[in-house]
Amino acid sequence: MTPEEVRLDLTAAAEFFVYVGIYAMRPEQAAGTRSHQMTRYLISFDAHAMDHIPGEDMPAVAKAAHEVVEEAMNAGVWVFGGGLENQKASIVATDGTVTDGPYPEAIGGFCVVDVPSREEALKWAAKNAAACRCAQEVRAFMPDPAVGN
């Protein structure tokens, strides 16, 4: 690959990451990109919250959830999110030792939104709840200017 082809590939990748809401920046860069201070909120649902949904309904649920994500991206509030695989966790100890952990019981999926108020976060959580057909938990991230929160 020529240097020009590499540059074009990297440019395309960067544009894709910005589109899907993944920002590959150092914390000091991210902190400077926010035009005003807003709080980031974690919106999540339990690992088994969607177990009641019949398999044949899942494509419609996925479509509805993706529509909410697209709406949040278009509104400029989407930071990151996704569903978690139903697999064992890897536990990394303070000494670096890695062991198998339990299957996930806490979080089945989540998103992070950057909004001006808790009320606004609750509105996005309501949209997620309707799309995913399950209750959503909303929690604010602690302020940390070093990482752009």
Side-chain angles (χ1 to χ4, degrees):
M1 202 176 242
T2 69
E4 178 63 17
E5 291 171 322
V6 169
R7 188 187 66 74
L8 290 174
D9 274 0
L10 290 174
T11 300
E15 289 171 359
F16 172 77
F17 288 136
V18 168
Y19 174 76
V20 298
I22 301 171
Y23 300 95
M25 295 183 200
R26 297 191 49 77
E28 62 272 12
Q29 293 171 311
T33 63
R34 299 171 77 195
S35 61
H36 56 285
Q37 188 63 32
M38 292 196 291
T39 302
R40 290 187 175 158
Y41 291 86
L42 173 69
I43 300 172
S44 63
F45 58 88
D46 293 341
H48 299 287
M50 298 175 78
D51 289 354
H52 68 281
I53 302 170
E56 61 270 10
D57 288 357
M58 289 309 287
V61 170
K63 181 178 184 294
H66 289 131
E67 288 171 356
V68 173
V69 169
E70 187 172 337
E71 181 183 352
M73 290 169 58
N74 291 336
V77 302
W78 179 261
V79 176
F80 184 78
L84 299 179
E85 291 285 348
N86 187 18
Q87 63 187 30
K88 283 189 174 186
S90 295
I91 308 299
V92 182
T94 56
D95 67 359
T97 304
V98 180
T99 58
D100 283 340
Y103 280 95
E105 296 297 327
I107 297 177
F110 71 95
C111 70
V112 177
V113 295
D114 194 3
V115 293
S117 68
R118 182 170 187 79
E119 291 73 26
E120 187 71 15
L122 294 172
K123 289 177 185 176
W124 285 104
K127 292 177 184 192
N128 285 346
C132 294
R133 302 182 192 177
C134 62
Q136 305 287 307
E137 179 179 312
V138 178
R139 299 184 70 192
F141 280 90
M142 293 173 41
D144 186 351
V147 295
N149 287 341

